[in-house]
Amino acid sequence: MPVSAELDSPPSEHPALIVELPDNLRRKLEEFRDQFDEIERSLVDPETMGDHRAVARLSTRRKALEPLVRGLSEFDAALTEHAEWTDSITANEDLDLVALAREELPEIETRMKQLVESIQSRLVNADDDSIGSVILEIRAGVGGDEAGLWAGDLLEMYRRFASARHWKFEPLDLSPGDAGGVKAAVVQVAGDGVWADLAFESGTHQVKRVPATETQGRVHTSTATIAVLAEPEEVEVELDPADVKESITTAQGPGGQNVNKVATAVHLIHEPTGVEVRMQETKSQTQNREKAWTLLRARLYQRQKAERDAARVAERNSMIGSGSRAEKIRTYRWKENIAVDHRIGENANLGALMQGELRGLIDALRREETSRRLAAL
């Protein structure tokens, strides 16, 4: 948190206090400034400019670092201004200038304190803000056919939220429910702030409502599980292609009948871990292979990340659990038209939420997590 110390001059000459950046914080900000400058150079390099994926990745990282770099520059400018006014008081040569300096110093200090707080808040979230692509997995939990309908409703809720945020929302794999909705859905979501916002959605989402399949008007409780996996760059994943068994088959539809007669479905098995991916969403074998490897890398990355940092995974609610009602992170109560987030005890209008208006709840969750991280500094 902000550290204050009195200036080495008599209080009668200048009663102001100066706010300082802790040494470890300044070193980290200077590292980010160096990274920012390197990214700036890379983005104008012809070789980088020809790789649209590299440009997108670097641009996302640049956007995450820019407020920190700008904050450091503004703080240093305020520090210089503070020193100049303090020197005027110390010199005591112009009484009008001294009086003006005494008026200006408190305002400068307030601005410096605000800058330190803003920098710290952005710093603890900088890594999250720099991840611009995730894999969103939605699976029907307990509740039979109604669970599938509920999973489908959540899929549409996130699609609307992504549309409002101008994110790319590309389904990779959809398994329809027997009575509508989906048994499972895998979607790639990409855009600024996508991980920082959606990471908090991982967990069991419980709904209490009279389902469309209910003839007696009774309220049922059903669940769906959400997993949000940060999509890594290939170099970040410990993945040896030799460890992956790949097979190509014809796509299969409900009941096992052939959807097409051409072998386009791609089936991958990572033999050391048993992680398995099947992709048949498009009629192109090449596109299915690319999507299958993307999903496999994301699942392996999440597994490796969990093994390296299990404590943080638990704190960020990245584990979706078994989908039981007892593990819920949020309950959607249709009759009362409210959704309750059990982690922060806040309610939201259910109708608005299902239309994709998640901003309020997500902001509250981000504030809570930011406070926890700041307390741990």
Side-chain angles (χ1 to χ4, degrees):
M1 301 304 291
V3 177
S4 301
E6 291 190 7
L7 292 170
D8 299 327
S9 298
S12 59
E13 294 183 5
H14 49 82
L17 298 175
I18 184 170
V19 181
E20 297 178 345
L21 279 177
D23 289 342
N24 61 337
L25 180 56
R26 177 172 285 278
R27 284 195 299 270
K28 191 67 176 177
L29 290 171
E30 289 172 350
E31 288 177 16
F32 283 152
R33 184 174 58 193
D34 292 341
Q35 289 181 30
F36 183 84
D37 292 341
E38 179 60 31
I39 289 171
E40 293 270 78
R41 289 190 289 270
S42 296
L43 285 173
V44 296
D45 184 282
E47 186 174 341
T48 303
M49 293 171 67
D51 184 345
H52 71 278
R53 290 188 178 181
V55 170
R57 175 175 56 82
L58 289 171
S59 297
T60 298
R61 180 62 174 168
R62 180 190 181 281
K63 188 170 184 177
L65 293 177
E66 186 174 18
L68 291 169
V69 174
R70 186 173 61 247
L72 177 60
S73 296
E74 292 177 359
F75 181 88
D76 284 344
L79 191 63
T80 299
E81 186 180 0
H82 190 285
E84 290 172 350
W85 285 118
T86 300
D87 288 345
S88 298
I89 295 176
T90 302
N92 200 28
E93 295 173 350
D94 185 329
L95 294 181
D96 290 337
L97 191 60
V98 169
L100 182 59
R102 293 186 183 279
E103 291 180 6
E104 291 292 330
L105 282 173
E107 295 181 9
I108 296 172
E109 288 179 359
T110 298
R111 186 164 79 247
M112 291 171 70
K113 289 178 182 178
Q114 292 171 343
L115 281 168
V116 171
E117 291 170 0
S118 175
I119 287 170
Q120 288 179 318
S121 178
R122 289 184 178 277
L123 179 65
V124 296
N125 294 304
D127 287 341
D128 288 355
D129 290 336
S130 68
I131 298 175
S133 184
V134 302
I135 300 296
L136 173 69
E137 295 188 354
I138 303 174
R139 301 187 184 280
V142 297
D145 288 340
E146 164 65 2
L149 294 172
W150 174 230
D153 289 342
L154 289 175
L155 176 64
E156 178 62 14
M157 179 183 77
Y158 291 120
R159 185 195 66 76
R160 289 173 172 170
F161 180 58
S163 177
R165 298 280 279 117
H166 304 291
W167 291 337
K168 182 182 79 171
F169 192 85
E170 181 183 0
L172 300 180
D173 192 23
L174 296 175
S175 299
D178 295 334
V182 293
K183 290 180 180 177
V186 180
V187 182
Q188 183 184 50
V189 190
D192 290 337
V194 65
W195 168 255
D197 281 354
L198 290 183
F200 296 103
E201 295 303 293
S202 293
T204 298
H205 294 240
Q206 177 178 271
V207 64
K208 292 178 177 290
R209 66 182 180 186
V210 178
T213 55
E214 169 61 46
T215 59
Q216 303 297 319
R218 294 171 297 186
V219 173
H220 286 222
T221 300
S222 305
T223 68
T225 58
I226 305 295
V228 183
L229 315 177
E231 186 180 346
E233 293 297 304
E234 291 186 46
V235 295
E236 293 179 338
V237 186
E238 297 172 12
L239 173 58
D240 184 349
D243 290 335
V244 180
K245 179 181 178 182
E246 178 179 301
S247 57
I248 310 297
T249 65
T250 57
Q252 299 292 310
Q257 73 247 31
N258 287 330
V259 173
N260 63 66
K261 305 298 182 182
V262 182
T264 59
V266 177
H267 185 199
L268 304 178
I269 301 176
H270 184 246
E271 295 184 319
T273 62
V275 174
E276 191 171 350
V277 169
R278 181 181 176 87
M279 190 62 58
Q280 60 178 42
E281 194 65 17
T282 76
K283 295 181 180 180
S284 165
Q285 182 187 121
T286 300
Q287 292 180 14
N288 284 335
R289 177 181 284 110
E290 182 179 350
K291 291 181 177 181
W293 279 93
T294 294
L295 181 55
L296 179 63
R297 285 194 298 269
R299 287 180 175 170
L300 287 175
Y301 174 78
Q302 187 71 6
R303 182 187 182 105
Q304 292 163 10
K305 176 176 179 292
E307 290 171 353
R308 289 192 304 265
D309 197 359
R312 183 175 178 187
V313 170
E315 291 167 353
R316 288 298 304 273
N317 299 294
S318 296
M319 302 302 293
I320 64 172
S322 65
S324 74
R325 296 181 179 94
E327 296 170 330
K328 61 185 180 292
I329 62 167
R330 192 177 296 153
T331 297
Y332 302 72
R333 297 175 180 166
W334 235 252
K335 185 177 180 180
E336 295 94 339
N337 193 37
I338 63 170
V340 182
D341 195 291
H342 303 291
R343 295 162 295 181
I344 54 176
E346 291 203 13
N347 298 345
N349 180 277
L350 188 146
L353 209 66
M354 300 310 296
Q355 291 299 314
E357 297 177 20
L358 296 165
R359 186 76 270 159
L361 269 185
I362 287 175
D363 284 348
L365 286 161
R366 291 192 68 173
R367 285 194 298 270
E368 183 76 12
E369 176 65 5
T370 297
S371 297
R372 186 195 66 78
R373 292 182 182 183
L374 286 173
L377 286 178

